[in-house]
Amino acid sequence: MRKALAPVALMLALQCSVAQAGEVVLQPTTVQDLKAVFGQVQSRDTVPARARIGGVLLSRSVDEGTAVKAGQVIATVGDEKLALQLQAVDARIKALQAQLENAKADLERSQALIARGAETQSRLDQLRTAANVLTNQIAASQADRAVIVQQTTEGQVLAPKDGRVLTVPTVPGSVIMPGETVARIAAGGYYLRLALPERHAAHIKAGDPVSVGGRGPGAEAQGGPRRQGKIVKVYPELEGGRVIADAEVDGLGDFFVGERVPVWIPVATRQALAVPADAVQTREGVDYVRVAAEGGAIDVPVVLGPAQDGRVEILSGLRAGDRVVTP
């Protein structure tokens, strides 16, 4: 038997009564029509990994497609001025420490002299104040040094979330400005973005099931399994005469972001007739179904529709009440 036409997924429940052994009486049943569209794989979040300081991109440990973890170092930015500033602060701290040692020595001598009455109180206070000022200057310089060390540490570009690297617009050796993007990361999982003609806007809603076909050309002809999912959001604004919806489908992690795959969505209901698949015979390119009649069974040519769950829809050739002979 030839394969069914392009799938318009049917929830066919063949409502038929048994007339005698090997025969079924056709009765119409309500089925759902599925609209075939293409869905585009999107990431829930696309976050940039940005440089926190300016300088030269010294190294990069990721490329397009690399999986990363939150907090992972993916690149290093270096600024030669930071090393020079750190040397200047260290030198200033050493000079202040030397001045502080002299101030403390002068203060100790002044305290010894004032005990013998050979020094004034005002002179002692001046020396004590000078020592305190130098101590505070050293503390301020150490704080400046900590800032420079922190800036050096911020030269490491970190991945903001778990995900997969989409693009890396910079290369090692290029000049980086603060806040410039070093890599774009797809994070937060994946979903399908669907666009349907606006005439279907009134028929789709959150919670509707969807069926996702295989990847690549010819996947449907090969008869591979479909992925099942559901619509989670229908956007209230039309774009270019189309209603936009998002669908969640398991197993999209191995897809490319932006990849297009066939999707079938229920959009309407109708009445249909269906027969068991083994009741159809194909001879010389024509499909036949054997129907019981007075005087014996006859082969009736039919036009077939979609097939699912072992049943095939009959588009023309049979009518309700016909007794179909099954093997």
Side-chain angles (χ1 to χ4, degrees), residues 12-319:
L12 291 172
L14 183 59
Q15 297 177 350
C16 47
S17 58
V18 178
Q20 61 182 24
E23 293 183 6
V24 291
V25 178
L26 290 184
Q27 296 294 339
T29 184
T30 301
V31 298
Q32 282 188 321
D33 272 339
L34 296 186
K35 174 67 176 178
V37 298
F38 275 97
Q40 191 172 38
V41 179
Q42 301 285 348
S43 61
R44 297 196 178 280
D45 300 312
T46 302
V47 292
R50 300 182 184 275
R52 293 176 288 178
I53 65 172
V56 177
L57 186 62
L58 301 179
S59 64
R60 193 189 67 204
S61 60
V62 298
D63 212 335
E64 289 87 347
T66 304
V68 296
K69 296 292 185 181
Q72 176 182 338
V73 178
I74 62 176
T76 302
V77 178
D79 188 353
E80 295 179 355
K81 296 189 299 294
L82 293 178
L84 298 176
Q85 291 174 3
L86 190 60
Q87 293 177 5
V89 171
D90 287 339
R92 184 165 64 249
I93 290 175
K94 291 180 180 179
L96 292 174
Q97 287 175 342
Q99 294 177 16
L100 179 60
E101 291 177 0
N102 290 335
K104 288 182 177 179
D106 291 342
L107 180 60
E108 291 175 356
R109 285 194 295 270
S110 179
Q111 289 174 340
L113 291 174
I114 201 171
R116 296 196 298 268
E119 185 67 281
T120 63
Q121 184 63 40
S122 61
R123 173 62 179 170
L124 179 63
D125 293 340
Q126 289 176 358
L127 294 175
R128 184 180 290 113
T129 301
N132 291 336
V133 169
L134 290 172
T135 300
N136 292 332
Q137 287 179 346
I138 291 174
S141 297
Q142 290 174 340
D144 291 339
R145 187 182 191 282
V147 171
I148 297 173
V149 171
Q150 178 62 29
Q151 288 178 337
T152 304
T153 303
E154 290 178 353
Q156 296 179 335
V157 181
L158 308 179
K161 285 187 175 182
D162 296 351
R164 186 168 52 182
V165 177
L166 296 180
T167 59
V168 281
T170 56
V171 296
S174 58
V175 176
I176 297 294
M177 302 300 292
E180 187 171 346
T181 299
V182 176
R184 290 176 57 248
I185 299 173
Y190 303 92
Y191 65 94
L192 282 177
R193 174 64 54 84
L194 311 174
L196 291 85
E198 62 179 297
R199 65 178 179 274
H200 300 304
H203 301 286
I204 63 173
K205 62 184 182 300
D208 287 345
V210 298
S211 180
V212 180
R215 304 174 62 180
E220 289 306 306
Q222 297 173 5
R226 294 183 183 177
R227 304 169 188 257
Q228 303 301 317
K230 65 178 180 179
I231 294 177
V232 295
K233 181 184 293 186
V234 179
Y235 291 87
E237 183 180 10
L238 297 178
E239 295 182 6
R242 295 181 176 272
V243 58
I244 308 300
D246 293 342
E248 285 185 348
V249 181
D250 292 334
L252 291 180
D254 58 341
F255 281 67
F256 291 99
V257 175
E259 183 174 352
R260 292 167 59 85
V261 293
V263 181
W264 289 267
I265 307 173
V267 294
T269 58
R270 59 185 175 83
Q271 297 293 307
L273 297 174
V275 298
D278 56 5
V280 180
Q281 299 179 1
T282 303
R283 297 193 298 272
E284 298 180 355
V286 180
D287 298 316
Y288 296 90
V289 173
R290 179 158 293 185
V291 177
E294 295 182 4
I298 59 174
D299 290 337
V300 178
V302 295
V303 177
L304 301 181
Q308 186 174 346
D309 298 332
R311 306 179 186 88
V312 184
E313 183 184 359
I314 302 299
L315 299 180
S316 67
L318 299 180
R319 60 185 177 181

